[in-house]
Amino acid sequence: MRHQATGRVEITSQNHNYAVAADTLAGRVELTHVNLNDGVVEGFRVLDAPAFGVQHHPEAGPGPHDARYLFDDFTNLMMASSPRGGK
C-alpha cells in the first residue's frame, strides 16, 4: 500500500473480505493509505474527530515493521484527546 502523505510504499498483511468505497467517504475523512494492487482504501483519518482506521493488519510483520508507526500515532492521538493531557 502507499502512505499518501509520504508516498512511501509499505508492505502489509491484507484480508480483503470487504472494501471501503472511497467515494462514500468524501468530505468526512482524508484518505491516508491506498492499496497499490486494487486501489481500495487502506486507511483514513476522520476530519471532525480524533480517529483513524486502517484496512490491513498493522500488528503483522510482513514488512517487517512498515506499519509499526500506526501504534505510535494511535497512542499520541489518545494522549492529545485525553482530558488530562496524557498525565
Side-chain angles (χ1 to χ4, degrees):
M1 68 172 194
R2 180 181 58 244
H3 185 252
Q4 296 293 84
T6 65
R8 180 180 164 174
V9 173
E10 301 172 3
I11 307 297
T12 58
S13 291
Q14 307 296 314
N15 184 10
H16 283 188
N17 292 325
Y18 62 90
V20 176
D23 59 348
T24 65
L25 303 174
R28 297 187 290 179
V29 304
E30 170 188 15
L31 295 183
T32 58
H33 301 83
V34 175
N35 186 290
L36 295 172
N37 293 320
D38 56 16
V40 300
V41 174
E42 287 290 339
F44 60 88
R45 180 181 65 82
V46 179
L47 296 175
D48 62 352
F52 69 90
V54 293
Q55 166 74 3
H56 63 274
H57 299 282
E59 78 284 0
H65 305 292
D66 288 6
R68 179 178 279 175
Y69 68 92
L70 291 169
F71 295 101
D72 291 334
D73 289 355
F74 177 77
T75 300
N76 293 335
L77 186 63
M78 293 299 100
M79 297 295 278
S81 299
S82 169
R84 294 175 44 184
K87 296 180 181 174

